[in-house]
Amino acid sequence: QVQLVQSGAEMKKPGASVKVSCKASGYTFTNYGISWVRQAPGQGLEWMGRVSAYNGNTNYAQRLQGRVTMTTDTSTSTAYMELRSLRSDDTAVYFCARNAAIIRWHPLYYMDVWGEGTTVTVSS
Amino acid sequence: DIQMTQSPSSLSASMGDRVTITCRATQNISAYLNWYQQKPGKAPKLLIYAASSLHSGVPSSFSGSGSGTDFTLTITSLQPEDFATYYCQQSYRTPFTFGPGTKVDIK
């Protein structure tokens, strides 16, 4: 079955970096992009950005620009999200999700399969 | 960025009730609107995409409508497993922003 399996929980100090992985199975990895979404404790969902597994193209949320990098490894069907210069307000659950699309002149994307989430705690 | 609002922010309902959640975008997003359901401690699940298309496996008690700036999610007969938080999300332009969520709990 189609699934995304994420790496385990991380605890980091302020200023450090974290790299979360998301391993895909059950579908052709390069046919879909991956979005990353985070959720701070008790808060709503925040879209962080997306990466194309076909060509590596990325779009990032402006507020994370410069601190986040999203990549893919097609040899292992794995997507990665690295966040640098961590702050306490980066404490959140980080989800990866597959980007399905209705292909037309202006594609419509939606996230149809989600990973289970990775808890990242930033604390001194 | 396109901002999304939802109303109400929370509601209490009984099993069997009809529930309607509204989502509004700050600019015209055509039908580039998706709905997700999230239960505590779990990943979100896709319910509706393209404003009104029901995702595979989602009960037909869920429906979506709207276009432009105003959208609704309707649950025709609330079941125990429907108590959750619901988010709308626009995918017209990046960043693909979410609404703040609507929590549906038991009256």
Side-chain angles (χ1 to χ4, degrees), chain B residues 37-76:
Chain B
Q37 175 195 68
Q38 187 182 32
K39 296 181 181 178
K42 299 295 187 182
K45 290 184 177 180
L46 176 68
L47 296 175
I48 302 281
Y49 63 94
S52 61
S53 295
L54 195 67
H55 181 52
S56 175
V58 175
S60 58
S61 56
F62 289 90
S63 65
S65 65
S67 183
T69 60
D70 295 318
F71 303 86
T72 58
L73 173 71
T74 300
I75 311 170
T76 52

Side-chain angles (χ1 to χ4, degrees), chain A residues 56-77:
Chain A
N57 285 352
T58 54
N59 295 106
Y60 301 135
Q62 181 98 20
R63 64 183 297 232
L64 296 172
Q65 200 91 15
R67 289 205 301 137
V68 68
T69 302
M70 297 175 187
T71 57
T72 60
D73 181 344
T74 56
S75 69
T76 59
S77 298

Side-chain angles (χ1 to χ4, degrees), chain B residues 17-34:
Chain B
D17 282 355
R18 179 186 180 94
V19 167
T20 299
I21 298 168
T22 297
C23 175
R24 179 165 289 171
T26 53
Q27 64 184 79
N28 186 344
I29 59 170
S30 184
Y32 288 70
L33 193 283
N34 308 313

Side-chain angles (χ1 to χ4, degrees), chain A residues 25-43:
Chain A
S25 61
Y27 71 96
T28 301
F29 183 65
T30 50
N31 284 356
Y32 296 82
I34 294 286
S35 279
W36 289 88
V37 174
R38 69 179 181 178
Q39 186 170 38
Q43 302 302 306

